[in-house]
Amino acid sequence: MPRAQSRAGARPGVPAKRAATPRGGRLPRTARRAQLLTAALEVFVQQGYHAALMDDIAEHAGVSKPVLYQHFPSKLELYLALLDQTVEDLERRVREAIETTSDNRERVRGAITTYFDFVDSEGAAYRLVFESDLRNEPAVRERVEKALDSVVAAIADTIAAGAGVDAAEARLLSVGLAGLAEVSARWWLASGDSVSKERAVELLVSLAWRGLAKTR
Amino acid sequence: MPRAQSRAGARPGVPAKRAATPRGGRLPRTARRAQLLTAALEVFVQQGYHAALMDDIAEHAGVSKPVLYQHFPSKLELYLALLDQTVEDLERRVREAIETTSDNRERVRGAITTYFDFVDSEGAAYRLVFESDLRNEPAVRERVEKALDSVVAAIADTIAAGAGVDAAEARLLSVGLAGLAEVSARWWLASGDSVSKERAVELLVSLAWRGLAKTR
DNA sequence: GCGCTATGTTACTGACGAGTAGCATCGGAC
DNA sequence: GTCCGATGCTACTCGTCAGTAACATAGCGC
């Protein structure tokens, strides 16, 4: 029985699935790791954690599964590596936006703009933070909550100072603002270009700063 | 012969897991279905879709797995039955809150209160809508998006009328408000009682209506 | 009382997918 | 040129879990 052939075109003809990198030559360890992270991000973002198969990710990187396991000890660890990268990016961006100015209205604009840019940025990594299908994993929950805490802390000082409320209340308002920015940014991204990014940010800043009563 | 006893200690030792209803007598179809839905909600809410096992749910209801399959053709269908129930509840509550008054500020208060009550209500069913680990399933995504659309539609009219913006912009602002309410309500629930529900709603209504500039 | 069907049970199958064992080979060092 | 370790591959194991087949009985209609 022609056992080697049994795999159909396996030897001569990997049917070039999807955007899989062709199985090029070898790579030094660091470069391979970076490439694997990129491939994994694409697959996790598109499929979610549960539907993403380690085989998919490997194939997407043009590599076989054991190679993946030479770099990451488990599927969860791989996911966490990406998640960490992503939440750190968000936290840094928001902090920078807040620190850039001392005008509180500009700080609000900066924070909201950051959310829109973050959601709109290459690779849709925001899905790992805001749309993860692995929230029940404690390690994931912890990181997502830490990200929100971090953002909220950055905003809360401004609010406590400007709005005359105590610390706990300032935190609640900050969470509200973060929610406003997060959900509207995701919705804006998903709903085509009925409103430009700049206009969207402008409207939301107005809402946050002057309220509905005076939005007109 | 004490035959009924033979099950008692179920072999020498099923350790009487958790809050499982004891395997009582038979039930008419409708009652059993309702009971299964209740049990399933508890398990899905606590574990999420993926970690919830059909065996868990059955045991939780004090019944064996095939009974579950006599009422629901698959795990997904069971989940969707609960999700439908839940989103319909949310949609109805928000709509009622909006229709109850014609004072726009009161409408905002009503909508935000609704989110807090919804999140705070028995069974934590809100998790199915806001924290589902099954968003990638098209049927689930569709229902969750429909729920948001429905809520947004209810709010958007008010905003478009009051704030002098066009329809697309009013929708964006409504999504922002919904996000504000959703995220802050969930955070409020998770973070003990550092702020009372009434005070939390009051603060957020102020933010939404008069803006940060005048929150004080 | 007596069967008949609703309701329920135990114990299995079959698919799937993370993680691994063991073999192949590329290419730099000398 | 040839040795050898780093890099990679094929092909498997093994646990898990949704869904099912085959069998058991409670209790209603008569």
Side-chain angles (χ1 to χ4, degrees):
Chain A
M1 176 194 297
R3 199 170 169 305
Q5 297 270 6
S6 69
R7 165 87 59 162
R11 229 39 90 84
V14 175
K17 256 199 190 171
R18 317 228 327 139
T21 307
R23 303 221 165 172
R26 308 191 162 195
L27 284 182
R29 197 168 169 78
T30 318
R32 183 65 83 192
R33 185 188 154 97
Q35 184 211 6
L36 291 175
L37 282 171
T38 304
L41 178 62
E42 279 178 40
V43 176
F44 278 136
V45 156
Q46 213 172 54
Q47 322 252 21
Y49 180 85
H50 289 100
L53 308 190
M54 289 300 262
D55 280 310
D56 291 349
I57 295 170
E59 187 180 0
H60 208 73
V63 123
S64 74
K65 194 167 48 166
V67 173
L68 210 44
Y69 281 94
Q70 284 166 7
H71 291 262
F72 305 94
S74 72
K75 187 181 179 183
L76 177 60
E77 289 297 324
L78 172 55
Y79 189 84
L80 289 178
L82 290 166
L83 181 58
D84 281 335
Q85 206 174 268
T86 306
V87 299
E88 277 160 26
D89 182 41
L90 174 63
E91 293 175 20
R92 185 185 45 72
R93 290 205 210 184
V94 172
R95 216 176 306 116
E96 283 176 10
I98 302 281
E99 287 168 2
T100 292
T101 174
S102 63
D103 176 341
N104 284 343
R105 191 185 208 275
E106 284 310 304
R107 283 176 166 158
V108 170
R109 182 196 307 283
I112 292 179
T113 301
T114 299
Y115 267 85
F116 273 72
D117 288 342
F118 177 69
V119 156
D120 194 27
S121 62
E122 196 62 30
Y126 77 93
R127 282 177 178 257
L128 301 186
V129 189
F130 298 142
E131 296 175 11
S132 176
D133 59 345
L134 202 60
R135 282 216 195 95
N136 293 94
E137 175 59 41
V140 171
R141 179 177 294 272
E142 175 205 328
R143 280 156 173 89
V144 170
E145 283 177 3
K146 177 178 150 291
L148 180 59
D149 274 1
S150 170
V151 167
V152 163
I155 305 176
D157 289 340
T158 296
I159 289 181
V165 295
D166 74 30
E169 295 176 343
R171 286 181 81 78
L172 178 73
L173 289 171
S174 302
V175 172
L177 275 184
L180 175 116
E182 176 205 317
V183 175
S184 55
R186 290 200 279 125
W187 185 87
W188 168 81
L189 183 70
S191 64
D193 285 324
S194 64
V195 181
S196 76
K197 194 200 286 189
E198 292 71 25
R199 176 67 176 151
V201 170
E202 201 45 50
L203 284 163
L204 292 163
V205 171
S206 248
L207 170 55
W209 195 250
R210 301 192 308 170
L212 281 175
K214 301 200 176 171
T215 309
R216 80 172 62 236
Chain B
M1 177 201 292
R3 199 173 167 306
Q5 295 270 6
S6 71
R7 164 106 22 123
R11 267 2 121 117
V14 175
K17 258 195 189 174
R18 315 231 323 139
T21 306
R23 303 218 164 175
R26 308 191 160 193
L27 285 182
R29 196 170 172 77
T30 319
R32 185 63 86 192
R33 186 188 154 98
Q35 184 211 4
L36 291 176
L37 283 171
T38 303
L41 178 63
E42 279 179 39
V43 175
F44 279 136
V45 156
Q46 213 173 55
Q47 323 252 21
Y49 181 85
H50 290 100
L53 307 189
M54 290 300 262
D55 281 309
D56 290 350
I57 295 170
E59 186 180 1
H60 207 74
V63 125
S64 73
K65 197 165 46 166
V67 172
L68 210 42
Y69 281 94
Q70 283 167 8
H71 291 263
F72 305 94
S74 71
K75 186 181 178 182
L76 178 59
E77 289 297 325
L78 172 55
Y79 188 84
L80 290 178
L82 289 166
L83 182 57
D84 280 336
Q85 206 174 269
T86 306
V87 300
E88 275 159 27
D89 181 41
L90 174 63
E91 292 174 21
R92 185 186 44 73
R93 291 205 209 183
V94 172
R95 215 176 308 117
E96 283 176 10
I98 301 281
E99 285 168 1
T100 292
T101 173
S102 62
D103 175 341
N104 284 343
R105 192 184 205 276
E106 284 310 305
R107 283 176 166 159
V108 170
R109 182 196 308 281
I112 293 178
T113 300
T114 299
Y115 267 85
F116 272 72
D117 288 342
F118 178 67
V119 155
D120 194 27
S121 63
E122 196 63 28
Y126 76 93
R127 281 176 180 258
L128 301 186
V129 190
F130 297 142
E131 296 174 11
S132 176
D133 58 345
L134 203 60
R135 284 219 195 98
N136 294 93
E137 174 60 41
V140 172
R141 179 177 295 275
E142 176 206 327
R143 281 158 172 86
V144 171
E145 284 177 2
K146 174 177 152 293
L148 180 59
D149 274 2
S150 171
V151 167
V152 163
I155 305 176
D157 289 340
T158 296
I159 289 183
V165 296
D166 74 29
E169 295 175 342
R171 286 181 81 78
L172 178 73
L173 289 171
S174 303
V175 172
L177 276 183
L180 174 114
E182 176 205 318
V183 174
S184 55
R186 289 201 281 126
W187 185 88
W188 167 81
L189 184 71
S191 63
D193 284 324
S194 65
V195 182
S196 76
K197 195 199 283 190
E198 293 69 25
R199 176 68 176 150
V201 170
E202 200 46 50
L203 283 163
L204 292 163
V205 171
S206 249
L207 170 55
W209 193 252
R210 302 191 308 170
L212 281 175
K214 301 200 177 173
T215 308
R216 84 172 60 234

